[in-house]
PDB file of all heavy atoms in Angstrom:
ATOM      1  N   ILE U  12     -89.939  38.716 -28.424  1.00  0.00           N
ATOM      2  CA  ILE U  12     -89.754  39.051 -27.015  1.00  0.00           C
ATOM      3  C   ILE U  12     -89.349  40.494 -26.932  1.00  0.00           C
ATOM      4  O   ILE U  12     -88.311  40.965 -27.460  1.00  0.00           O
ATOM      5  CB  ILE U  12     -88.623  38.138 -26.420  1.00  0.00           C
ATOM      6  CG1 ILE U  12     -88.807  36.668 -26.790  1.00  0.00           C
ATOM      7  CG2 ILE U  12     -88.562  38.342 -24.886  1.00  0.00           C
ATOM      8  CD1 ILE U  12     -87.709  35.725 -26.242  1.00  0.00           C
ATOM      9  N   GLY U  13     -90.192  41.324 -26.225  1.00  0.00           N
ATOM     10  CA  GLY U  13     -89.959  42.725 -26.065  1.00  0.00           C
ATOM     11  C   GLY U  13     -90.991  43.474 -26.767  1.00  0.00           C
ATOM     12  O   GLY U  13     -90.991  43.582 -27.995  1.00  0.00           O
ATOM     13  N   ALA U  14     -91.964  44.076 -26.049  1.00  0.00           N
ATOM     14  CA  ALA U  14     -93.082  44.833 -26.584  1.00  0.00           C
ATOM     15  C   ALA U  14     -92.806  46.335 -26.400  1.00  0.00           C
ATOM     16  O   ALA U  14     -93.571  47.061 -25.912  1.00  0.00           O
ATOM     17  CB  ALA U  14     -94.370  44.458 -25.867  1.00  0.00           C
ATOM     18  N   GLY U  15     -91.618  46.838 -26.894  1.00  0.00           N
ATOM     19  CA  GLY U  15     -91.251  48.192 -26.768  1.00  0.00           C
ATOM     20  C   GLY U  15     -91.421  49.013 -27.968  1.00  0.00           C
ATOM     21  O   GLY U  15     -92.256  48.723 -28.811  1.00  0.00           O
ATOM     22  N   TYR U  16     -90.610  50.066 -28.143  1.00  0.00           N
ATOM     23  CA  TYR U  16     -90.737  51.035 -29.253  1.00  0.00           C
ATOM     24  C   TYR U  16     -90.358  50.390 -30.542  1.00  0.00           C
ATOM     25  O   TYR U  16     -90.740  50.873 -31.622  1.00  0.00           O
ATOM     26  CB  TYR U  16     -89.907  52.303 -28.928  1.00  0.00           C
ATOM     27  CG  TYR U  16     -90.521  53.199 -27.979  1.00  0.00           C
ATOM     28  CD1 TYR U  16     -90.320  53.059 -26.557  1.00  0.00           C
ATOM     29  CD2 TYR U  16     -91.359  54.225 -28.417  1.00  0.00           C
ATOM     30  CE1 TYR U  16     -90.929  53.937 -25.733  1.00  0.00           C
ATOM     31  CE2 TYR U  16     -91.968  55.102 -27.532  1.00  0.00           C
ATOM     32  CZ  TYR U  16     -91.755  54.930 -26.151  1.00  0.00           C
ATOM     33  OH  TYR U  16     -92.304  55.781 -25.264  1.00  0.00           O
ATOM     34  N   VAL U  17     -89.594  49.308 -30.495  1.00  0.00           N
ATOM     35  CA  VAL U  17     -89.190  48.633 -31.666  1.00  0.00           C
ATOM     36  C   VAL U  17     -90.155  47.348 -31.901  1.00  0.00           C
ATOM     37  O   VAL U  17     -90.755  47.218 -32.974  1.00  0.00           O
ATOM     38  CB  VAL U  17     -87.733  48.126 -31.683  1.00  0.00           C
ATOM     39  CG1 VAL U  17     -87.367  47.231 -32.781  1.00  0.00           C
ATOM     40  CG2 VAL U  17     -86.825  49.432 -31.701  1.00  0.00           C
ATOM     41  N   GLY U  18     -90.167  46.494 -30.897  1.00  0.00           N
ATOM     42  CA  GLY U  18     -90.951  45.251 -31.020  1.00  0.00           C
ATOM     43  C   GLY U  18     -92.387  45.541 -31.393  1.00  0.00           C
ATOM     44  O   GLY U  18     -92.981  44.866 -32.308  1.00  0.00           O
ATOM     45  N   VAL U  37     -94.403  39.124 -26.670  1.00  0.00           N
ATOM     46  CA  VAL U  37     -94.439  38.877 -25.250  1.00  0.00           C
ATOM     47  C   VAL U  37     -93.518  39.827 -24.531  1.00  0.00           C
ATOM     48  O   VAL U  37     -92.535  40.310 -25.107  1.00  0.00           O
ATOM     49  CB  VAL U  37     -94.078  37.377 -24.932  1.00  0.00           C
ATOM     50  CG1 VAL U  37     -95.114  36.431 -25.524  1.00  0.00           C
ATOM     51  CG2 VAL U  37     -92.657  37.078 -25.477  1.00  0.00           C
ATOM     52  N   ASP U  38     -93.781  40.018 -23.235  1.00  0.00           N
ATOM     53  CA  ASP U  38     -92.944  40.957 -22.475  1.00  0.00           C
ATOM     54  C   ASP U  38     -93.041  40.537 -21.022  1.00  0.00           C
ATOM     55  O   ASP U  38     -94.129  40.035 -20.608  1.00  0.00           O
ATOM     56  CB  ASP U  38     -93.471  42.384 -22.692  1.00  0.00           C
ATOM     57  CG  ASP U  38     -92.408  43.466 -22.391  1.00  0.00           C
ATOM     58  OD1 ASP U  38     -92.027  43.568 -21.197  1.00  0.00           O
ATOM     59  OD2 ASP U  38     -91.985  44.160 -23.333  1.00  0.00           O
ATOM     60  N   ILE U  39     -91.995  40.848 -20.244  1.00  0.00           N
ATOM     61  CA  ILE U  39     -92.079  40.497 -18.797  1.00  0.00           C
ATOM     62  C   ILE U  39     -92.874  41.569 -18.053  1.00  0.00           C
ATOM     63  O   ILE U  39     -93.276  41.410 -16.919  1.00  0.00           O
ATOM     64  CB  ILE U  39     -90.716  40.420 -18.173  1.00  0.00           C
ATOM     65  CG1 ILE U  39     -89.753  41.497 -18.675  1.00  0.00           C
ATOM     66  CG2 ILE U  39     -90.071  39.045 -18.377  1.00  0.00           C
ATOM     67  CD1 ILE U  39     -88.390  41.605 -17.949  1.00  0.00           C
ATOM     68  N   ASP U  40     -93.074  42.704 -18.707  1.00  0.00           N
ATOM     69  CA  ASP U  40     -93.714  43.842 -18.000  1.00  0.00           C
ATOM     70  C   ASP U  40     -95.250  43.706 -18.205  1.00  0.00           C
ATOM     71  O   ASP U  40     -95.779  43.996 -19.231  1.00  0.00           O
ATOM     72  CB  ASP U  40     -93.222  45.159 -18.654  1.00  0.00           C
ATOM     73  CG  ASP U  40     -93.724  46.383 -17.988  1.00  0.00           C
ATOM     74  OD1 ASP U  40     -94.809  46.297 -17.332  1.00  0.00           O
ATOM     75  OD2 ASP U  40     -93.097  47.492 -18.065  1.00  0.00           O
ATOM     76  N   ARG U  43     -97.180  46.917 -19.205  1.00  0.00           N
ATOM     77  CA  ARG U  43     -96.995  47.253 -20.601  1.00  0.00           C
ATOM     78  C   ARG U  43     -97.944  46.425 -21.467  1.00  0.00           C
ATOM     79  O   ARG U  43     -98.499  46.943 -22.434  1.00  0.00           O
ATOM     80  CB  ARG U  43     -95.561  47.105 -20.984  1.00  0.00           C
ATOM     81  CG  ARG U  43     -95.123  48.041 -22.051  1.00  0.00           C
ATOM     82  CD  ARG U  43     -93.619  48.173 -22.194  1.00  0.00           C
ATOM     83  NE  ARG U  43     -93.275  49.406 -22.953  1.00  0.00           N
ATOM     84  CZ  ARG U  43     -92.106  49.771 -23.260  1.00  0.00           C
ATOM     85  NH1 ARG U  43     -91.121  48.964 -22.978  1.00  0.00           N
ATOM     86  NH2 ARG U  43     -91.897  50.899 -23.966  1.00  0.00           N
ATOM     87  N   SER U  93     -86.148  41.452 -29.201  1.00  0.00           N
ATOM     88  CA  SER U  93     -86.323  42.888 -29.310  1.00  0.00           C
ATOM     89  C   SER U  93     -86.334  43.628 -27.996  1.00  0.00           C
ATOM     90  O   SER U  93     -87.077  44.530 -27.751  1.00  0.00           O
ATOM     91  CB  SER U  93     -87.573  43.115 -30.106  1.00  0.00           C
ATOM     92  OG  SER U  93     -87.629  44.428 -30.577  1.00  0.00           O
ATOM     93  N   VAL U  94     -85.427  43.096 -27.145  1.00  0.00           N
ATOM     94  CA  VAL U  94     -85.406  43.702 -25.802  1.00  0.00           C
ATOM     95  C   VAL U  94     -84.381  44.849 -25.714  1.00  0.00           C
ATOM     96  O   VAL U  94     -83.551  44.967 -26.596  1.00  0.00           O
ATOM     97  CB  VAL U  94     -85.089  42.610 -24.687  1.00  0.00           C
ATOM     98  CG1 VAL U  94     -86.225  41.540 -24.614  1.00  0.00           C
ATOM     99  CG2 VAL U  94     -83.746  42.013 -24.970  1.00  0.00           C
ATOM    100  N   ASN U  95     -84.490  45.615 -24.686  1.00  0.00           N
ATOM    101  CA  ASN U  95     -83.600  46.748 -24.538  1.00  0.00           C
ATOM    102  C   ASN U  95     -82.196  46.385 -24.123  1.00  0.00           C
ATOM    103  O   ASN U  95     -81.971  45.346 -23.446  1.00  0.00           O
ATOM    104  CB  ASN U  95     -84.182  47.786 -23.653  1.00  0.00           C
ATOM    105  CG  ASN U  95     -84.746  47.257 -22.371  1.00  0.00           C
ATOM    106  OD1 ASN U  95     -85.145  46.087 -22.323  1.00  0.00           O
ATOM    107  ND2 ASN U  95     -84.760  48.020 -21.311  1.00  0.00           N
ATOM    108  N   THR U  96     -81.241  47.176 -24.509  1.00  0.00           N
ATOM    109  CA  THR U  96     -79.848  46.834 -24.215  1.00  0.00           C
ATOM    110  C   THR U  96     -79.195  48.130 -23.677  1.00  0.00           C
ATOM    111  O   THR U  96     -78.469  48.764 -24.410  1.00  0.00           O
ATOM    112  CB  THR U  96     -79.084  46.433 -25.477  1.00  0.00           C
ATOM    113  OG1 THR U  96     -79.391  47.352 -26.501  1.00  0.00           O
ATOM    114  CG2 THR U  96     -79.510  45.050 -25.956  1.00  0.00           C
ATOM    115  N   TRP U 113     -80.213  41.250 -20.724  1.00  0.00           N
ATOM    116  CA  TRP U 113     -81.544  40.863 -21.180  1.00  0.00           C
ATOM    117  C   TRP U 113     -81.473  39.982 -22.399  1.00  0.00           C
ATOM    118  O   TRP U 113     -82.342  39.057 -22.556  1.00  0.00           O
ATOM    119  CB  TRP U 113     -82.362  42.152 -21.534  1.00  0.00           C
ATOM    120  CG  TRP U 113     -82.554  43.090 -20.367  1.00  0.00           C
ATOM    121  CD1 TRP U 113     -82.234  44.403 -20.345  1.00  0.00           C
ATOM    122  CD2 TRP U 113     -83.126  42.788 -19.119  1.00  0.00           C
ATOM    123  NE1 TRP U 113     -82.618  44.946 -19.131  1.00  0.00           N
ATOM    124  CE2 TRP U 113     -83.129  43.959 -18.370  1.00  0.00           C
ATOM    125  CE3 TRP U 113     -83.614  41.603 -18.517  1.00  0.00           C
ATOM    126  CZ2 TRP U 113     -83.596  44.027 -17.074  1.00  0.00           C
ATOM    127  CZ3 TRP U 113     -84.078  41.682 -17.209  1.00  0.00           C
ATOM    128  CH2 TRP U 113     -84.041  42.880 -16.483  1.00  0.00           C
ATOM    129  N   CYS U 117     -82.850  36.242 -22.674  1.00  0.00           N
ATOM    130  CA  CYS U 117     -83.809  35.819 -23.769  1.00  0.00           C
ATOM    131  C   CYS U 117     -83.253  34.570 -24.462  1.00  0.00           C
ATOM    132  O   CYS U 117     -83.967  33.607 -24.704  1.00  0.00           O
ATOM    133  CB  CYS U 117     -83.946  36.913 -24.816  1.00  0.00           C
ATOM    134  SG  CYS U 117     -84.947  38.223 -24.211  1.00  0.00           S
ATOM    135  N   SER U 135     -82.636  43.677 -31.633  1.00  0.00           N
ATOM    136  CA  SER U 135     -82.072  44.755 -30.791  1.00  0.00           C
ATOM    137  C   SER U 135     -80.744  45.201 -31.374  1.00  0.00           C
ATOM    138  O   SER U 135     -80.066  44.483 -32.003  1.00  0.00           O
ATOM    139  CB  SER U 135     -81.786  44.259 -29.369  1.00  0.00           C
ATOM    140  OG  SER U 135     -82.979  43.634 -28.837  1.00  0.00           O
ATOM    141  N   THR U 136     -80.401  46.477 -31.138  1.00  0.00           N
ATOM    142  CA  THR U 136     -79.047  47.021 -31.609  1.00  0.00           C
ATOM    143  C   THR U 136     -78.086  46.427 -30.602  1.00  0.00           C
ATOM    144  O   THR U 136     -78.171  46.609 -29.400  1.00  0.00           O
ATOM    145  CB  THR U 136     -79.017  48.565 -31.508  1.00  0.00           C
ATOM    146  OG1 THR U 136     -80.171  49.019 -32.143  1.00  0.00           O
ATOM    147  CG2 THR U 136     -77.783  49.084 -32.138  1.00  0.00           C
ATOM    148  N   SER U 280     -83.065  56.771 -27.782  1.00  0.00           N
ATOM    149  CA  SER U 280     -82.463  55.711 -27.068  1.00  0.00           C
ATOM    150  C   SER U 280     -81.249  55.100 -27.736  1.00  0.00           C
ATOM    151  O   SER U 280     -80.510  54.349 -27.208  1.00  0.00           O
ATOM    152  CB  SER U 280     -83.539  54.610 -26.844  1.00  0.00           C
ATOM    153  OG  SER U 280     -83.845  53.989 -28.060  1.00  0.00           O
ATOM    154  N   CYS U 281     -81.031  55.498 -29.019  1.00  0.00           N
ATOM    155  CA  CYS U 281     -80.052  54.759 -29.810  1.00  0.00           C
ATOM    156  C   CYS U 281     -78.761  55.498 -30.033  1.00  0.00           C
ATOM    157  O   CYS U 281     -77.673  54.856 -29.850  1.00  0.00           O
ATOM    158  CB  CYS U 281     -80.638  54.385 -31.176  1.00  0.00           C
ATOM    159  SG  CYS U 281     -81.844  53.095 -31.068  1.00  0.00           S
ATOM    160  N   LYS U 284     -76.093  55.569 -27.139  1.00  0.00           N
ATOM    161  CA  LYS U 284     -75.770  54.200 -26.728  1.00  0.00           C
ATOM    162  C   LYS U 284     -74.939  53.549 -27.832  1.00  0.00           C
ATOM    163  O   LYS U 284     -74.008  52.803 -27.539  1.00  0.00           O
ATOM    164  CB  LYS U 284     -77.034  53.476 -26.476  1.00  0.00           C
ATOM    165  CG  LYS U 284     -76.940  52.030 -26.088  1.00  0.00           C
ATOM    166  CD  LYS U 284     -78.200  51.446 -25.573  1.00  0.00           C
ATOM    167  CE  LYS U 284     -79.275  51.264 -26.720  1.00  0.00           C
ATOM    168  NZ  LYS U 284     -79.031  50.144 -27.575  1.00  0.00           N
ATOM    169  N   ARG U 351     -86.386  59.381 -23.831  1.00  0.00           N
ATOM    170  CA  ARG U 351     -84.969  58.855 -23.513  1.00  0.00           C
ATOM    171  C   ARG U 351     -83.948  59.732 -24.106  1.00  0.00           C
ATOM    172  O   ARG U 351     -83.994  60.018 -25.273  1.00  0.00           O
ATOM    173  CB  ARG U 351     -84.950  57.402 -23.982  1.00  0.00           C
ATOM    174  CG  ARG U 351     -85.740  56.412 -23.053  1.00  0.00           C
ATOM    175  CD  ARG U 351     -85.602  54.968 -23.562  1.00  0.00           C
ATOM    176  NE  ARG U 351     -86.418  54.805 -24.798  1.00  0.00           N
ATOM    177  CZ  ARG U 351     -86.521  53.622 -25.420  1.00  0.00           C
ATOM    178  NH1 ARG U 351     -85.911  52.541 -24.956  1.00  0.00           N
ATOM    179  NH2 ARG U 351     -87.227  53.509 -26.545  1.00  0.00           N
TER     180      ARG U 351
HETATM  181  C1  UDX K 501     -85.053  48.932 -28.927  1.00  0.00           C
HETATM  182  C2  UDX K 501     -83.990  47.925 -29.329  1.00  0.00           C
HETATM  183  O1  UDX K 501     -84.433  46.689 -29.072  1.00  0.00           O
HETATM  184  C3  UDX K 501     -82.720  48.322 -28.666  1.00  0.00           C
HETATM  185  O2  UDX K 501     -81.725  47.472 -28.945  1.00  0.00           O
HETATM  186  C4  UDX K 501     -82.396  49.611 -29.262  1.00  0.00           C
HETATM  187  O3  UDX K 501     -81.111  50.061 -29.087  1.00  0.00           O
HETATM  188  C5  UDX K 501     -83.373  50.598 -28.711  1.00  0.00           C
HETATM  189  O4  UDX K 501     -84.638  50.221 -29.217  1.00  0.00           O
HETATM  190  P1  UDX K 501     -86.893  49.520 -27.436  1.00  0.00           P
HETATM  191  O5  UDX K 501     -87.980  48.660 -28.117  1.00  0.00           O
HETATM  192  O6  UDX K 501     -86.892  50.963 -27.724  1.00  0.00           O
HETATM  193  O7  UDX K 501     -85.520  48.882 -27.694  1.00  0.00           O
HETATM  194  O8  UDX K 501     -86.886  49.309 -25.922  1.00  0.00           O
HETATM  195  P2  UDX K 501     -88.017  49.378 -24.874  1.00  0.00           P
HETATM  196  O9  UDX K 501     -89.110  50.256 -25.301  1.00  0.00           O
HETATM  197  O10 UDX K 501     -87.349  49.549 -23.534  1.00  0.00           O
HETATM  198  O11 UDX K 501     -88.608  47.818 -24.912  1.00  0.00           O
HETATM  199  C6  UDX K 501     -87.907  46.698 -24.559  1.00  0.00           C
HETATM  200  C7  UDX K 501     -88.982  45.746 -23.861  1.00  0.00           C
HETATM  201  O12 UDX K 501     -88.339  44.476 -23.561  1.00  0.00           O
HETATM  202  C8  UDX K 501     -89.491  46.241 -22.570  1.00  0.00           C
HETATM  203  O13 UDX K 501     -90.896  46.352 -22.609  1.00  0.00           O
HETATM  204  C9  UDX K 501     -89.064  45.205 -21.548  1.00  0.00           C
HETATM  205  O14 UDX K 501     -89.982  45.028 -20.495  1.00  0.00           O
HETATM  206  C10 UDX K 501     -88.889  43.995 -22.421  1.00  0.00           C
HETATM  207  N1  UDX K 501     -88.006  42.934 -21.859  1.00  0.00           N
HETATM  208  C11 UDX K 501     -86.764  43.190 -21.375  1.00  0.00           C
HETATM  209  C12 UDX K 501     -88.483  41.603 -21.806  1.00  0.00           C
HETATM  210  O15 UDX K 501     -89.603  41.330 -22.206  1.00  0.00           O
HETATM  211  N2  UDX K 501     -87.648  40.622 -21.323  1.00  0.00           N
HETATM  212  C13 UDX K 501     -86.411  40.922 -20.909  1.00  0.00           C
HETATM  213  O16 UDX K 501     -85.688  39.979 -20.487  1.00  0.00           O
HETATM  214  C14 UDX K 501     -85.996  42.249 -20.831  1.00  0.00           C
END
Side-chain angles (χ1 to χ4, degrees):
I12 313 176
Y16 283 88
V17 170
V37 297
D38 202 292
I39 43 172
D40 184 338
R43 210 164 200 185
S93 193
V94 295
N95 44 334
T96 49
W113 299 125
C117 286
S135 306
T136 310
S280 69
C281 287
K284 178 170 70 76
R351 287 177 288 181

